[in-house]
Amino acid sequence: MRVLGIDPGIAIAGFGFVDYIGHKLTPVQYGAIQTEAHTPSEERLLQIYDSAGALMDRYKPDAVAVEKLFFNRNVTTAFAVGQARGVIILAAAQRGLTVAEYTPLQVKQAVVGYGKAEKRQVQEMVKMFLRLSAVPKPDDVADALAVAICHAHSAGISNKINEVTGR
């Protein structure tokens, strides 16, 4: 199974493609979609939409996992991130891809085993799980890979449950 993990943002949207075969996680490609500040929001959203769609077309994920927006004190930022999430989810839906959403707490729980883990702990576990030489930068990329790992683990558990229950 190939999973695309996304950490949405209007300035930086981290992405990470991870293959999950058996119990092995393998990084395929990761990076960030970056937009320029002071560019009209509709142009930034179009750039995110086009870039996300092109990545989906090139790397052919089986599923897309997106971090859920949690309450943000800065309402303007929260709206912008919500809009970026929306265009990414739209790009996935137009390609017939399954979209899963995970809260930061769920991601931390799946990757570190503790829902209140520090950002650095999550980054180090991403590095370890994917056997990377360094923590991916910027942080949004490591976060996107963590979302992909979370989905891979969640999907793996769901598949095991379905095998046992005959679903």
Side-chain angles (χ1 to χ4, degrees):
M1 169 177 61
R2 178 165 291 172
V3 178
L4 167 56
I6 299 278
D7 178 31
I10 192 76
I12 302 173
F15 69 86
F17 290 88
V18 174
D19 283 348
Y20 186 62
I21 301 168
H23 295 288
K24 186 176 178 186
L25 292 162
T26 305
V28 175
Q29 182 61 276
Y30 51 89
I33 300 166
Q34 298 188 20
T35 64
E36 291 293 324
H38 309 296
T39 302
S41 61
E42 63 273 15
E43 289 178 30
R44 294 176 95 176
L45 292 169
L46 180 60
Q47 183 181 348
I48 292 166
Y49 171 81
D50 286 343
S51 297
L55 287 165
M56 291 173 202
D57 292 342
R58 179 169 183 189
Y59 294 101
K60 308 276 189 235
D62 299 302
V64 178
V66 182
E67 187 170 81
K68 278 187 182 178
L69 182 60
F70 59 95
F71 180 76
N72 193 319
R73 287 192 180 100
N74 183 334
V75 174
T76 303
T77 301
F79 281 139
V81 172
Q83 290 172 327
R85 282 182 81 253
V87 298
I88 291 165
I89 291 169
L90 174 61
Q94 287 179 324
R95 287 158 178 79
L97 297 170
T98 301
V99 177
E101 300 177 75
Y102 298 96
T103 65
L105 183 95
Q106 290 172 306
V107 173
K108 291 175 183 179
Q109 182 70 41
V111 175
V112 179
Y114 176 61
K116 294 185 180 179
E118 297 294 323
K119 186 176 253 329
R120 186 77 187 143
Q121 291 173 296
V122 175
Q123 293 171 342
E124 286 299 323
M125 290 302 291
V126 165
K127 177 183 160 192
M128 186 192 79
F129 274 128
L130 298 177
R131 298 171 302 288
L132 301 172
S133 59
V135 172
K137 295 291 179 193
D139 291 350
D140 311 79
V141 177
D143 292 346
L145 287 165
V147 174
I149 292 167
C150 174
H151 183 73
H153 287 166
S154 297
I157 291 168
S158 294
N159 289 343
K160 295 269 186 239
I161 291 169
N162 290 342
E163 286 174 17
V164 171
T165 60
R167 292 183 194 184

